[in-house]
Amino acid sequence: MAERSTAAVDVAHTGGADDGDTKPLAARTDEATSDGAGTQHDSTAPELHSGHRLARRYRLEECVTRLDGFSSWRAMDEKLQRAVGVHLLPADHARARSVLAAARSAALLGDPRFVQVLDAVEENDLVYVVHEWLPDATPLTRLFAAGPLEPHEAYHLVNQLAQAMAAAHREGLAHLRLTPGSVLRTGSGQYRIRGLAVNAALRGISSDTPQRTDTEAVGALLYAALTQRWPYEEDAYGLTGVARLSGGILMPPDQVRAGVHRGLSELAMRALVNDGATASSEDQPCATPEELVKAVAAMPRIKPPEPTFTQPPPYRRTTYQQGSYGPQTAHAPTGPPPPVAADVPPALPGKTGKALKWGVSALLIAALGLGSWQIADALMNGGRENQPVAPTGSDDTSKTKTEPKPLKISDAQEYYPDGRPQNAGQAAATHDGDPETFWRTKSFQDGPTLAPYKAGVGVIYDLGEIRSVSTASIKLRNGGDHTSVSLYAARSFSPSASLDSLRKVDSVKTSTTEAEMTLDKPIRTRYLVVWFTAVPYSSADGFSGAGYRQALSDVSFTG
């Protein structure tokens, strides 16, 4: 399927075709030889260069893989001004038809746990597949290089991968090449799988037991996450292989490294049981992703470790807190001795000195009396004479208001707590500034209210950091009777978080193509959900037949 990447300069981590491995797991095939730098070459690959444009839209920028007659590139979508990945191969390539079929099937899944296929085209004697590119995501190869994962993170990994692959297999899709290079962790901590069906089709990989192959692959990734070792005898993905015990038995993770979580160790062995692994418990092996999902759900939930705090510096009291106004304890001087004060001249002798002292005392008494009288007068009059008078007219500057500022949206994805997305790959089009691009719902037979068929549909936005939000402006494609839209504040950038976990901020009903929300009191949040519960009736168009539907072309927030 489509692939997300972190850096084009790191071939094993890019959005190419999951490079850097030696062999796939259970499904294996002969491949072209490597040049020793991680990129594999073949002279039959299309001769293209940086700057070449596909469909007058996708500009090739850097080749990240050239292998077995196809090449993979980092490219720029000049229409949406965003980076994308592109797989290219000749139209007469033996695998061209299967690659197109795999890409189109993967695109229909629309599950955001997988990197999305954006386009699959045959044009000018070329077949190319365009997919998402995630510059801020980190592949497992890089995470594993840094060391084993903490138990709660490994639990998070296997749980997400098992659920994603179970959803894919329910739709008849298999990966068959699920390696550390094909799993990415985003900045929000979610794991995304790239290359669903497509990577295997590019290499001609197949399996008679696809569910078991993908389940074993998830088990291998969990094993590597726990031990920083690859659960096969050969080294791969920058990890050292594990030698088999007598009888070809694989050593459990908790025997490879001390401190490994026992439950996760057994789970990895249950998923790997078909390749020399033997579960250390009486539990049955997991032969399908669905069985692995149930096994994960049966485990006690692993909590993250308690946060650690650095020791604060020793508390030191100030001079006031030490009581400098009372008797002080003598301390030995630690610094240089204070400078010696100059000799004080003696007091004036005789009557002159006495007269001067009485004169100074009289002046002090007069000053104190005058000050007391002024204070009393101010208290009696309530300080009215000293109150500033507010200016009148249009020049009143005593009450200044801060002008609202546009808030930058750093990311967006479809929000679907029921697990059934509409068009997950189009969410980014709602904040690209182009009114011609949009995210759309499917077409419903009844409406305008979507319930009971669906609680609602929407998009979740990430502002990059916690911001103060005061208004929301929502541009729609379809007018009519009527659109109901609400704004929610979310705790995380999760497309499947429960609606009950969100906080409703505002709602509006409109029959036009615009919805404006001005909050009575600004809220502080990082994540916002635009949620539709009613959509208008629209006639058929180039995307859907007639029915109740809506399309979201642009969303902006100010604060």
Side-chain angles (χ1 to χ4, degrees):
M1 159 133 192
E3 307 177 31
R4 292 199 171 189
S5 174
T6 57
V9 296
D10 187 350
V11 176
H13 298 162
T14 56
D18 183 24
D19 310 273
D21 60 314
T22 54
K23 294 180 182 179
L25 298 174
R28 303 181 181 181
T29 186
D30 294 332
E31 297 179 351
T33 58
S34 171
D35 63 3
T39 307
Q40 297 179 350
H41 299 272
D42 189 281
S43 59
T44 62
E47 290 298 330
L48 298 172
H49 56 83
S50 298
H52 184 90
R53 283 178 173 79
L54 301 172
R56 299 180 180 179
R57 174 175 180 175
Y58 304 111
R59 185 182 73 247
L60 302 182
E61 293 193 338
E62 184 173 2
C63 182
V64 296
T65 305
R66 198 178 295 274
L67 163 70
D68 201 15
F70 72 88
S71 59
S72 298
W73 295 74
R74 176 174 57 83
M76 174 60 68
D77 182 346
E78 296 183 324
K79 183 175 181 180
L80 297 181
Q81 288 299 305
R82 63 178 178 180
V84 294
V86 179
H87 297 308
L88 279 166
L89 67 165
D92 59 356
H93 194 285
R95 300 172 193 153
R97 305 271 74 78
S98 60
V99 169
L100 275 176
R104 289 167 178 170
S105 297
L108 292 175
L109 181 61
D111 190 325
R113 291 173 292 197
F114 295 91
V115 178
Q116 300 296 300
V117 170
L118 305 176
D119 213 347
V121 179
E122 180 178 356
E123 181 183 66
N124 297 332
D125 298 325
L126 284 175
V127 166
Y128 59 89
V129 176
V130 182
H131 54 80
E132 289 179 294
W133 183 280
L134 292 183
D136 63 339
T138 305
L140 284 185
T141 46
R142 191 175 301 170
L143 294 178
F144 291 167
L149 301 186
E150 293 292 335
H152 79 283
E153 189 64 30
Y155 172 87
H156 193 45
L157 168 69
V158 68
N159 189 35
Q160 289 194 32
L161 295 187
Q163 291 190 24
M165 292 313 306
H169 279 280
R170 285 195 293 269
E171 299 298 324
L173 291 169
H175 196 291
L176 305 184
R177 195 175 170 76
L178 194 58
T179 69
S182 62
V183 179
L184 303 162
R185 186 175 68 179
T186 65
S188 60
Q190 293 185 323
Y191 289 95
R192 305 290 298 275
I193 301 173
R194 61 185 180 184
L196 179 67
V198 175
N199 279 1
L202 284 168
R203 291 168 171 78
I205 297 173
S206 61
S207 174
D208 294 332
T209 56
Q211 294 208 51
R212 195 161 198 171
T213 297
D214 284 341
T215 305
E216 179 191 345
V218 176
L221 295 178
L222 176 58
Y223 192 106
L226 297 172
T227 64
Q228 203 183 10
R229 300 282 296 276
W230 192 236
Y232 301 92
E233 294 185 277
E234 67 271 15
D235 299 346
Y237 314 108
L239 302 173
T240 303
V242 178
R244 292 293 197 268
L245 301 174
S246 59
I249 301 301
L250 177 66
M251 188 181 302
D254 57 358
Q255 296 182 23
V256 174
R257 189 177 71 87
V260 171
H261 189 278
R262 181 68 181 274
L264 291 175
S265 177
E266 293 185 357
L267 189 66
M269 299 299 283
R270 290 177 66 186
L272 283 165
V273 73
N274 59 313
D275 193 13
T278 300
S280 56
S281 67
E282 296 181 356
D283 294 324
Q284 293 296 317
C286 300
T288 68
E290 200 70 54
E291 292 177 358
L292 188 57
V293 169
K294 294 178 181 178
V296 175
M299 287 181 56
R301 189 175 186 86
I302 301 175
K303 298 180 180 180
E306 294 293 331
T308 58
F309 301 95
T310 57
Q311 185 69 22
Y315 177 69
R316 299 181 65 181
R317 294 186 295 171
T318 64
T319 304
Y320 175 82
Q321 291 168 323
Q322 291 172 347
S324 60
Y325 49 84
Q328 300 296 311
T329 304
H331 296 279
T334 58
V340 179
D343 292 338
V344 180
L348 293 176
K351 295 181 179 180
T352 304
K354 291 182 179 180
L356 183 58
K357 285 192 291 185
W358 280 110
V360 172
S361 300
L363 289 174
L364 289 174
I365 293 172
L368 288 173
L370 179 61
S372 301
W373 175 80
Q374 289 176 334
I375 293 173
D377 182 66
L379 292 174
M380 292 292 291
N381 293 320
R384 287 188 294 272
E385 287 131 0
N386 294 326
Q387 293 293 332
V389 179
T392 58
S394 59
D395 295 332
D396 185 2
T397 59
S398 61
K399 295 181 180 180
T400 58
K401 293 184 179 180
T402 304
E403 290 296 327
K405 296 180 180 179
L407 301 178
K408 181 181 178 181
I409 298 173
S410 63
D411 201 0
Q413 57 182 328
E414 184 173 331
Y415 172 71
Y416 53 99
D418 62 357
R420 295 177 294 164
Q422 303 291 290
N423 284 285
Q426 299 174 347
T430 63
H431 65 97
D432 58 6
D434 186 352
E436 298 303 317
T437 60
F438 50 87
W439 166 85
R440 60 187 175 86
T441 72
K442 297 184 184 300
S443 186
F444 298 92
Q445 294 183 353
D446 294 323
T449 303
L450 297 176
Y453 306 103
K454 203 170 185 66
V457 292
V459 177
I460 184 170
Y461 296 93
D462 181 2
L463 301 181
E465 59 181 302
I466 296 177
R467 300 282 192 179
S468 178
V469 182
S470 57
T471 68
S473 177
I474 301 168
K475 308 296 183 185
L476 309 171
R477 297 276 295 183
N478 303 321
D481 185 25
H482 59 273
T483 299
S484 294
V485 57
S486 299
L487 184 67
Y488 286 85
R491 297 177 181 175
S492 64
F493 193 55
S494 171
S496 57
S498 169
L499 191 64
D500 295 336
S501 67
L502 310 184
R503 178 164 63 93
K504 191 171 184 179
V505 176
D506 202 357
S507 61
V508 67
K509 180 189 290 187
T510 180
S511 297
T512 68
T513 57
E514 294 186 359
E516 301 288 337
M517 298 184 191
T518 301
L519 309 185
D520 295 334
K521 183 179 180 181
I523 61 166
R524 289 184 59 79
T525 184
R526 175 174 175 176
Y527 308 107
L528 291 163
V529 174
V530 174
W531 183 246
F532 296 93
T533 54
V535 294
Y537 181 85
S538 299
S539 57
D541 57 17
F543 301 101
S544 308
Y548 292 89
R549 65 176 183 273
Q550 186 55 276
L552 182 57
S553 62
D554 189 67
V555 169
S556 60
F557 304 103
T558 63

